[in-house]
Amino acid sequence: MKHYNAPMCGIFGYVGTRKDSTKMAVDGLKSLEYRGYDSWGVAWKDGDHLSSQKEIGKISTVDGSKLSDNSSLVIGHTRWATHGGVTVENAHPQFNEEKTIAVVHNGIFENYQELRDELKAKGHVFTSETDTEVAPHLIEEYMKETQDFAQAVRLACKRFSGRYAIVAVYSKADTMVAARTGSPLIVGVEKEGSDVIGYFVASDTPAFMAHTRTVQYLDDGEMLVTNGKSILFSSIETGEEVAKREIEIEWSEERANKGNFEHYMLKEIMDQKESVAWAVNQNDDEIETVAQAIRDAKGTFLVGCGTAGKACMAAEYFFSVVSDRHVNFAPGSEFKLYHHFLKTESLLIVISQSGETADVLEAMNIAKSKGAKVLSIVNVKGSSIDRASDYTLHINAGPERAVASTKALTGQLAVLLLIAYALAGKLQEGKKLLLETAAQINDMLNPRYIDRLKQLADIIKQKEDLYIIGKSWNYPMALESAIKIQEVSYIHAEGFAAGELKHGPIALIEEGTPCIVLVGKDEVMPDILSNAVQLKARGGFIIGVSPEKNEIFDEWIKVPEAGAAQAIVNIIPIQVLAYFLAVQRGKDPDMPRNLAKSVTVK
Ligand code: F6R
């Protein structure tokens, strides 16, 4: 079956007293563009009808004030499609035939084919290939029964299966209706004194951070209806009202913006001058509680995806070396079969920047169904993973907007290492090491260092293959280095456990093949240097990332000596190198092809 959908997208909605809502929508969508950037669209209430603009490509250069200067109700969307054409017809909002109902959608209606057939049989005509388009048609059908827009949206939502978030508007009502099951939607409350003057809904907070930092969270299975002055939250299933708290978010707009940097990726790499220290700044009692939970657990599992998964792998080494404890890592998508080992006394530690990754949420559900406890280490406060966990530690990295994860990884590593030290009864020692490391990172990321990496990128940018090796905690960092280089520069990069080379991969090395060797001043240093010699003997161009110079290095990238925190410092120059490889190959590092920031589908 063909499957057309828009699984990782950015949603924005506003209703209130402002008249420049299309400008706010376009600006808000620009900050959500990391979630999807193949097409965009906006629909706004224009008197008693809906006007819209949809286009293919990025929204970055669009001026939203040109769309309308007199609308107070708007919805908008940036799309990222895994299947189906990138066309104006497939861009959101999607409409019913009369264009009286508009819907933006993130996620998948898994039963859309069946609903589409049912609606076609009733005479509805479809103009796109999306699953989303069933929503406005289905809502129109229910309007015939109830006359009430919010009620019609609720009845339509009860028919959808899958994980989704939608926002819908109707040309004859001054209200916005939103619902979610699985995909994030956050409400922003704009106030003048104590009076509410507008409500925002968005997939992520930076979309409305310029206007308000007061938020309310819509949870799975809930919907809301708002006219810009008041808001009503209710259960999709029963229609019963749900009470919500207002929460103030702490991240400042400045921390979410690019500042003077050309790209978010470089800005976020440079944020690591401070963000490692922000991650270390945890409450001692909370870290000790978590350490105790690990001691008490009968089996601890670490779960994460992609880069966060590499943090988990590094933590296996932290726990083994620092605290003599065995923990098991599985990528979120592979966790399902581990359920045989789960008991009520098991502990699942999940790592996620966004807190919205579907594979991780599924692993949590599996663990919870067995009665196990879940500890999460997340960046985005109030995210689905954060709220569904028994304990959460935040890495406090501030918004990470570039698709490639950088500062979130080092924050995750710092918190995991802190826990390992706490488990060994040495929390203060761990804190001291990490704060010293944070200061060393601050020194390391100076303009001369960055320029040195820029020059190195220039030397290797034409190469089509690149290999990275590491041992111990530098092995997951070798895997992570490969992810970073692949995703932004599109160079074929692969990471290996250094000792595995001689079992096969060494056959790939030719004269001049760049080989990055991640080294620490530790017990495995002689071994990895001897593996590097083997690469050099086959013609490898050896780039040593190491606290110490060595004659086998063709290029030496100096890193501070950081003991058990070596993985944190060693990955940073590779992030910078990946960034310059992308830029020098003419690629946009912030928006790599085929990828989106939050992976909210399985
Ligand atoms: C790569 C990258 C991804 C994410 C992964 C998990 O640079 O960012 O591999 O690490 O998709 O995302 P989170 O951490 O949001 O769960």
Side-chain angles (χ1 to χ4, degrees):
M1 182 179 71
K2 271 192 178 174
H3 207 69
Y4 296 116
N5 54 52
M8 292 170 250
C9 306
I11 289 181
F12 181 93
Y14 169 80
V15 58
T17 51
R18 289 165 177 269
K19 296 286 176 208
D20 60 344
S21 71
T22 56
K23 180 176 183 319
M24 290 196 301
V26 168
D27 292 346
L29 290 173
K30 284 177 189 170
S31 72
L32 293 178
E33 206 169 26
Y34 70 89
R35 302 178 65 89
Y37 34 86
D38 58 35
S39 52
W40 63 272
V42 175
W44 61 96
K45 192 158 185 291
D46 209 355
D48 64 354
H49 70 277
L50 297 176
S51 293
S52 66
Q53 178 86 18
K54 303 206 280 187
E55 279 177 33
I56 289 172
K58 294 181 182 169
I59 197 168
S60 336
T61 53
V62 177
D63 178 358
S65 61
K66 299 229 165 85
L67 303 181
S68 161
D69 58 3
N70 191 26
S71 180
S72 301
L73 177 58
V74 68
I75 59 174
H77 190 263
T78 53
R79 180 170 186 245
W80 189 89
T82 45
H83 314 282
V86 179
T87 62
V88 171
E89 290 75 27
N90 289 345
H92 303 198
Q94 291 290 322
F95 296 91
N96 59 338
E97 282 137 285
E98 280 81 45
K99 233 186 147 186
T100 52
I101 297 168
V103 175
V104 289
H105 168 215
N106 176 19
I108 303 174
F109 299 139
E110 280 168 1
N111 58 341
Y112 82 99
Q113 198 70 57
E114 177 191 318
L115 293 170
R116 200 168 157 115
D117 292 345
E118 175 186 317
L119 289 158
K120 274 187 180 167
K122 289 185 175 153
H124 290 262
V125 177
F126 286 78
T127 55
S128 81
E129 300 161 312
T130 62
D131 53 339
T132 307
E133 198 182 353
V134 297
H137 291 278
L138 193 59
I139 296 169
E140 183 188 303
E141 274 303 309
Y142 284 116
M143 290 280 285
K144 290 178 191 160
E145 283 177 25
T146 84
Q147 315 297 321
D148 178 278
F149 181 56
Q151 183 65 356
V153 173
R154 182 168 91 82
L155 295 172
C157 286
K158 285 180 78 160
R159 300 286 310 281
F160 300 140
S161 60
R163 300 165 56 80
Y164 66 87
I166 60 165
V167 186
V169 288
Y170 177 45
S171 60
K172 314 254 178 320
D174 290 315
T175 51
M176 175 169 74
V177 181
R180 78 163 260 186
T181 292
S183 300
L185 265 191
I186 301 155
V187 177
V189 189
E190 192 183 21
K191 293 185 181 175
E192 216 168 58
S194 56
D195 296 335
V196 175
I197 56 165
Y199 281 100
F200 297 84
V201 287
S203 308
D204 200 356
T205 48
F208 52 69
M209 222 185 249
H211 310 289
T212 180
R213 297 203 188 134
T214 308
V215 302
Q216 293 179 308
Y217 291 103
L218 191 65
D219 284 301
D220 279 350
E222 291 178 355
M223 59 180 288
L224 65 88
V225 52
T226 170
N227 58 7
K229 292 187 220 84
S230 60
I231 191 162
L232 183 77
F233 292 89
S234 58
S235 149
I236 296 173
E237 188 52 37
T238 62
E240 272 169 42
E241 192 175 335
V242 181
K244 290 280 162 183
R245 281 188 311 132
E246 287 182 357
I247 295 166
E248 294 299 318
I249 48 173
E250 291 150 24
W251 290 344
S252 70
E253 210 191 327
E254 191 189 309
R255 271 165 81 173
N257 283 338
K258 256 192 297 196
N260 294 328
F261 293 97
E262 203 178 328
H263 295 103
Y264 282 109
M265 185 176 174
L266 186 57
K267 186 247 173 206
E268 288 160 8
I269 290 170
M270 298 307 277
D271 276 354
Q272 294 171 113
K273 281 162 154 260
E274 297 169 289
S275 62
V276 173
W278 297 336
V280 181
N281 188 15
Q282 301 285 334
N283 177 307
D284 286 1
D285 291 345
E286 283 180 19
I287 297 285
E288 296 288 7
T289 306
V290 166
Q292 192 55 42
I294 297 172
R295 278 186 208 108
D296 293 344
K298 296 211 169 67
T300 300
F301 296 85
L302 286 162
V303 166
C305 300
T307 294
K310 304 304 168 284
C312 296
M313 273 182 83
E316 284 188 313
Y317 291 94
F318 296 161
F319 282 60
S320 163
V321 174
V322 177
S323 40
D324 205 5
R325 187 155 295 252
H326 177 215
V327 293
N328 303 277
F329 161 65
S333 55
E334 290 290 322
F335 186 70
K336 213 174 200 160
L337 287 165
Y338 281 71
H339 75 86
H340 301 287
F341 302 117
L342 289 168
K343 308 182 188 67
T344 343
E345 302 87 359
S346 308
L347 177 69
L348 183 67
I349 304 182
V350 301
I351 315 291
S352 175
Q353 187 287 129
S354 62
E356 299 295 346
T357 301
D359 288 330
V360 175
L361 279 161
E362 190 188 51
M364 288 171 71
N365 287 340
I366 294 167
K368 284 177 158 190
S369 71
K370 294 276 182 159
K373 288 267 183 293
V374 178
L375 158 69
S376 63
I377 299 177
V378 303
N379 190 32
V380 179
K381 291 185 184 164
S383 56
S384 304
I385 292 175
D386 183 352
R387 284 175 297 133
S389 305
D390 297 294
Y391 321 87
T392 308
L393 295 174
H394 297 115
I395 62 166
N396 308 320
E400 190 182 69
R401 302 266 287 272
V403 166
S405 189
T406 53
K407 62 175 175 174
L409 169 74
T410 48
Q412 291 157 356
L413 291 169
V415 173
L416 285 160
L417 190 53
L418 211 53
I419 297 172
Y421 272 96
L423 253 177
K426 300 181 194 163
L427 176 57
Q428 297 315 321
E429 190 184 315
K431 253 191 170 161
K432 185 166 169 287
L433 167 72
L434 281 159
L435 289 174
E436 278 165 13
T437 305
Q440 286 176 312
I441 292 170
N442 196 328
D443 289 346
M444 178 174 85
L445 286 172
N446 61 62
R448 223 166 49 141
Y449 195 75
I450 301 296
D451 202 55
R452 167 94 179 75
L453 289 161
K454 193 174 174 183
Q455 284 167 22
L456 179 59
D458 199 45
I459 297 171
I460 59 173
K461 67 179 181 217
Q462 307 294 357
K463 300 284 182 185
E464 287 309 324
D465 304 291
L466 194 156
Y467 301 99
I468 310 104
I469 60 167
K471 269 188 98 66
S472 169
W473 35 60
N474 279 316
Y475 162 43
M477 291 307 102
L479 301 179
E480 166 59 10
S481 302
I483 297 188
K484 245 13 19 127
I485 294 169
Q486 291 157 0
E487 71 180 326
V488 297
S489 75
Y490 314 153
I491 291 176
H492 166 235
E494 277 188 71
F496 296 105
E500 281 292 292
L501 279 177
K502 54 187 178 295
H503 299 289
I506 201 157
L508 297 167
I509 308 303
E510 293 174 358
E511 194 59 39
T513 306
C515 301
I516 301 177
V517 184
L518 303 179
V519 185
K521 220 173 156 200
D522 50 28
E523 58 183 301
V524 296
M525 190 180 195
D527 300 341
I528 185 145
L529 289 175
S530 126
N531 295 133
V533 170
Q534 293 159 10
L535 287 171
K536 187 143 175 140
R538 272 75 183 180
F541 176 74
I542 310 297
I543 301 164
V545 175
S546 167
E548 261 181 19
K549 196 168 180 162
N550 191 287
E551 58 186 16
I552 57 162
F553 299 155
D554 294 294
E555 292 280 339
W556 175 41
I557 302 301
K558 189 173 180 199
V559 282
E561 191 184 329
Q566 197 66 46
I568 302 179
V569 296
N570 279 12
I571 195 61
I572 293 176
I574 309 298
Q575 297 168 344
V576 182
L577 184 67
Y579 169 78
F580 283 118
L581 284 171
V583 172
Q584 293 179 17
R585 285 165 66 98
K587 314 295 178 207
D588 179 350
D590 283 349
M591 293 182 191
R593 69 185 178 205
N594 310 340
L595 285 166
K597 184 72 178 160
S598 285
V599 187
T600 54
V601 286
K602 288 199 279 170

